[in-house]
Amino acid sequence: MLLTIGLAVMCIGVAFGVVGIALPRSSAPLPFTTFIQYAVMAGIFSIGATVMYVVHRYDGARLALVVGDATMVLASGTMAVALGGLSPRRRRAALALVAVTAIAVGACTAATSEDVSLVIKAAVLALVCTVCALAAARSPVAPRRPASLIAAAMGLYAVYSAARALVGVTTGWAGAVGAVFRSLEIGSAVAIATVLVCGLGIILALRSSARVSDGAPREHSVVVIGDARLVASAFGPGRLRSLVDELRAAAHELDDRAVDVRNGVATALPAALPTLGEQMQNSFGWSPEEIALLTDGDGRRGRTERH
């Protein structure tokens, strides 16, 4: 029991240490940096869950299984929060919900048999991983390819977890099919493969960010659609997404090191705001009113002198 408690404290401590202290503050935009911080924390939680399952496997410690199940939910939920690009207030609320869910799963594992707790954990993971996959597919902070990779991995694990829960509820774990879905070896292999693919996605995202700063002596600039909520309420979320997608496309066309951020893009282009404003007018036919929606990191608004 002391080993289990020690490993749990170590993993949680390292996770928060990485986020708060050890993880270097890159020159990437704050939303992207926040994504990387919480994604790394999710990865550490995943490693912690694996350690707990190993402890349970070899000494049968019930506490290790409780901590492992809770930490596994915590890892998936934290990854969903990382990909969401939420405001600080919403991020804190989402993390609180994830923590409550993880504690509830751990409590169910402690209070029920392993057969029942496995069904509960699988059902919750199916839901949380589905949310994570959707967050990755629509992520405003992660580059497209890494986000798509994470979305595919989490989506497949959601399907596996849903199938696991369904088998446990319907046929139980006694038959041949039940034995396959209850197998710790198969479940661990699927989970490890998911973690590895998500880790690869994080690495690719970091490489994409590094291309912005490496090889460019100047700092990048952030150009976004200002007053995004006002634009969404006035013209609809679809129009806002269209404007953001066109802005990103223009930036990537001019700068292959550009990185997508929430409602815009970070780029090493000189005079990024007027340059992108002109590009939006020439390539996408934006009106002066639409160009005026653009803002940079200093709050200056875009404008065009062409008529």
Side-chain angles (χ1 to χ4, degrees):
M1 179 177 292
L2 289 177
L3 175 62
T4 300
I5 295 174
L7 288 172
V9 171
M10 180 188 70
C11 290
I12 294 173
V14 169
F16 283 99
V18 166
V19 171
I21 301 172
L23 189 67
R25 296 282 181 174
S26 69
S27 61
L30 180 59
F32 180 81
T33 303
T34 302
F35 154 65
I36 292 297
Q37 288 176 329
Y38 282 93
V40 170
M41 186 164 69
I44 294 174
F45 283 144
S46 298
I47 295 172
T50 301
V51 172
M52 292 299 106
Y53 288 136
V54 170
V55 172
H56 173 70
R57 172 76 173 182
Y58 284 99
D59 70 5
R62 185 71 172 181
L63 180 59
L65 183 62
V66 171
V67 176
D69 286 353
T71 309
M72 197 168 183
V73 174
L74 194 60
S76 303
T78 303
M79 179 62 80
V81 173
L83 291 159
L86 304 173
S87 65
R89 182 178 179 181
R90 292 185 177 182
R91 186 167 60 246
R92 287 192 295 268
L95 286 171
L97 177 60
V98 169
V100 170
T101 304
I103 292 172
V105 169
C108 290
T109 300
T112 61
S113 67
E114 289 192 22
D115 290 348
V116 174
S117 66
L118 179 57
V119 174
I120 294 172
K121 181 190 74 171
V124 172
L125 279 175
L127 177 60
V128 175
C129 291
T130 298
V131 172
C132 185
L134 293 175
R138 299 170 60 88
S139 178
V141 293
R144 292 181 182 178
R145 290 183 180 178
S148 299
L149 194 63
I150 295 173
M154 297 304 292
L156 288 175
Y157 195 79
V159 171
Y160 171 76
S161 297
R164 226 178 180 188
L166 183 62
V167 168
V169 170
T170 56
T171 64
W173 308 115
V177 175
V180 170
F181 279 96
R182 197 187 192 286
S183 170
L184 178 62
E185 289 75 15
I186 296 176
S188 298
V190 175
I192 290 172
T194 303
V195 171
L196 290 176
V197 173
C198 290
L200 176 61
I202 296 171
I203 292 172
L204 293 176
L206 283 169
R207 289 185 60 186
S208 177
S209 174
R211 288 198 297 268
V212 175
S213 55
D214 294 347
R218 58 184 177 274
E219 292 186 356
H220 68 275
S221 301
V222 177
V223 179
V224 300
I225 302 295
D227 300 325
R229 291 185 180 179
L230 182 61
V231 174
S233 62
F235 303 105
R239 180 54 180 160
L240 173 61
R241 285 194 296 270
S242 175
L243 291 172
V244 172
D245 288 343
E246 290 178 358
L247 173 61
R248 290 171 174 172
H252 286 292
E253 183 178 344
L254 297 175
D255 177 15
D256 59 1
R257 299 174 178 176
V259 176
D260 295 344
V261 301
R262 185 175 179 82
N263 297 324
V265 68
T267 173
L269 288 170
L273 184 61
T275 299
L276 285 175
E278 184 175 358
Q279 181 73 357
M280 302 318 299
Q281 183 183 39
N282 295 337
S283 298
F284 293 90
W286 279 26
S287 66
E289 292 76 16
E290 290 171 324
I291 294 174
L293 294 173
L294 298 178
T295 61
D296 66 3
D298 297 324
R300 291 185 294 114
R301 290 196 171 274
R303 59 178 63 87
T304 179
E305 298 175 357
R306 300 177 65 116
H307 301 282

